[in-house]
Amino acid sequence: MSADNAVGNVSVPLRNLLNSIQCMRDRVRDGESNESDGAFDLSNFWHTLNQAVKAVSQEATKLSVAFSKPPLPSQQDGEKLSEWILKSVLSLATVYYWLPKSQGVSLRRQVRDAIVDVLEGVTQLVGVILSSPLQSLSHEQLTSTGGVWSACDSLSQLPRDNKAALLVVLCAQIGVVKDAIEEIEQALSEVQDPFSDVLDDDQEPRGNQDTYWSEKDRRVIGPCQGLMKASAACLRKLTSAVKTHGDVSTPQNVAQLDDLADITKELSPGVDDLALCLYPPMDYSGVEDNVSKLGALLKKVLEIIRCSHVCGESQLTWVQFLDGAVDHNLQKTKDLLQQDS
């Protein structure tokens, strides 16, 4: 048999494998889990999932090694390798479907996304092996193999319940909001007119304010920053409350944690939208619109916190304080925007 025929024969099971994993990846991404009528053993789920992801990592490594140097696997060996890796990814996907929504939608989303990443990593590895010269180990193949390992490791580091899943969401939100606040503060600390140093002493200040803030702009930014900082404070305080009081022992509490995850995910986009419209040239109507949206969102977040099991007496104090801070900054922004330029 010629080398070309050998390559062609061993490519057939790989192409079939690629198509199967792509279909499986798409089904997991769009599919729903099975609802369990009886008691669900979460610890058994994690044990089985970890075993499944280890198997995927091992089989992906075997596949990569087999196609890293000559001689090429025979068609029969290629079929066996493809069969083993397909069996491992199918087991992984099957375990995902065990996880019911009653354990938390936030938890399910993070598990689903992590499994999709693993399946995508295996898809890329098989694709690279097919598209690279099958007699040598390419840089792309090494990178793709490492990508599978990384995705498998990330899956093993997932939060173990819906409380932990909410804390992951809050941590991500805090980071984005913090960055937006710091960027505005950095911009404000710079020279008011970045071109002032190139003007002659006898020249009038430039009338074009498209690239710097006017005094009124800066006054308006103050309460806008107040709203952004209230968002950050809310996320930090909520994180502490969830760590202290978060509970997953009842369906109601699990659902409340999901509600908190869903509503707080809207905060960082709201803060970003407000921050972006503050840069010169400032559009006051855009500022007013985004301030109103972020203020309303914050009020809604605080109300959901107030009605949830994570809000005890000590939490109620800061919820009420931040609620008042939102009202104050909303009114202050409105007053400043209505003043004559």
Side-chain angles (χ1 to χ4, degrees):
M1 181 183 293
S2 70
D4 287 344
N5 285 338
V7 170
N9 289 338
V10 81
S11 294
V12 172
L14 289 179
R15 292 192 185 282
N16 292 336
L17 173 65
L18 181 62
N19 290 334
S20 297
I21 299 176
Q22 286 173 332
C23 291
M24 197 181 308
R25 175 201 61 197
D26 294 341
R27 283 199 299 271
V28 170
R29 182 184 287 139
D30 302 327
E32 296 291 340
S33 65
N34 298 320
E35 279 302 328
S36 175
D37 293 331
F40 180 78
D41 189 337
L42 191 59
S43 61
N44 180 62
F45 165 80
W46 285 115
H47 174 75
T48 309
L49 187 71
N50 284 336
Q51 294 303 310
V53 76
K54 285 178 184 177
V56 172
S57 182
Q58 291 169 356
E59 296 304 330
T61 302
K62 289 179 187 176
L63 183 72
S64 185
V65 169
F67 287 92
S68 64
K69 59 184 178 180
L72 286 173
S74 65
Q75 182 177 2
Q76 184 179 11
D77 287 341
E79 288 172 351
K80 286 182 179 178
L81 286 165
S82 297
E83 180 182 337
W84 290 337
I85 196 167
L86 182 60
K87 182 179 179 181
S88 71
V89 296
L90 180 60
S91 295
L92 180 63
T94 300
V95 176
Y96 160 68
Y97 285 114
W98 291 358
L99 185 62
K101 285 183 180 179
S102 58
Q103 291 297 316
V105 174
S106 300
L107 179 64
R108 278 193 70 255
R109 284 173 182 159
Q110 291 177 37
V111 174
R112 178 199 64 199
D113 291 347
I115 289 178
V116 167
D117 285 345
V118 171
L119 298 179
E120 179 62 30
V122 178
T123 297
Q124 290 180 8
L125 173 60
V126 177
V128 165
I129 291 173
L130 277 167
S131 62
S132 302
L134 292 175
Q135 292 85 0
S136 62
L137 179 63
S138 67
H139 174 72
E140 290 78 11
Q141 185 175 333
L142 279 171
T143 302
S144 297
T145 306
V148 174
W149 294 341
S150 178
C152 289
D153 185 60
S154 294
L155 200 153
S156 68
Q157 303 301 316
L158 284 170
R160 288 312 198 238
D161 58 27
N162 213 41
K163 172 182 173 179
L166 171 56
L167 291 172
V168 170
V169 171
L170 292 174
C171 182
Q173 294 296 303
I174 288 171
V176 176
V177 171
K178 181 172 178 284
D179 287 345
I181 292 171
E182 289 178 350
E183 286 172 10
I184 286 291
E185 289 176 345
Q186 176 63 31
L188 284 167
S189 69
E190 295 173 355
V191 179
Q192 179 170 339
D193 182 351
F195 295 98
S196 61
D197 59 340
V198 300
L199 295 175
D200 294 332
D201 291 340
D202 58 348
Q203 282 185 290
E204 293 292 328
R206 296 180 311 114
N208 183 1
Q209 295 180 357
D210 284 355
T211 55
Y212 66 97
W213 284 298
S214 68
E215 284 304 313
K216 179 180 178 180
D217 290 345
R218 287 175 175 264
R219 287 195 299 271
V220 168
I221 287 174
C224 294
Q225 285 180 293
L227 271 183
M228 294 164 69
K229 290 177 179 178
S231 301
C234 177
L235 289 168
R236 289 195 305 270
K237 292 288 190 180
L238 176 57
T239 298
S240 178
V242 171
K243 288 178 179 177
T244 304
H245 299 293
D247 176 73
V248 293
S249 63
T250 69
Q252 181 182 6
N253 286 353
V254 169
Q256 287 178 356
L257 297 177
D258 281 330
D259 290 341
L260 288 168
D262 288 341
I263 190 67
T264 52
K265 279 181 183 176
E266 298 179 35
L267 276 177
S268 64
V271 169
D272 272 343
D273 288 344
L274 176 56
L276 286 173
C277 75
L278 295 179
Y279 287 94
M282 188 183 286
D283 173 17
Y284 288 161
S285 63
V287 172
E288 185 173 18
D289 182 49
N290 283 294
V291 162
S292 296
K293 287 179 179 178
L294 180 57
L297 177 59
L298 258 175
K299 301 275 281 187
K300 185 176 180 182
V301 171
L302 292 167
E303 182 58 29
I304 291 176
I305 293 172
R306 191 197 309 267
C307 297
S308 75
H309 71 275
V310 305
C311 185
E313 286 188 18
S314 59
Q315 285 71 38
L316 192 57
T317 302
W318 62 258
V319 167
Q320 292 172 338
F321 173 80
L322 287 177
D323 194 66
V326 172
D327 288 335
H328 170 76
N329 285 296
L330 282 173
Q331 187 60 49
K332 191 172 180 180
T333 306
K334 182 180 179 181
D335 292 344
L336 287 168
L337 290 173
Q338 288 177 348
Q339 290 178 3
D340 294 333
S341 300

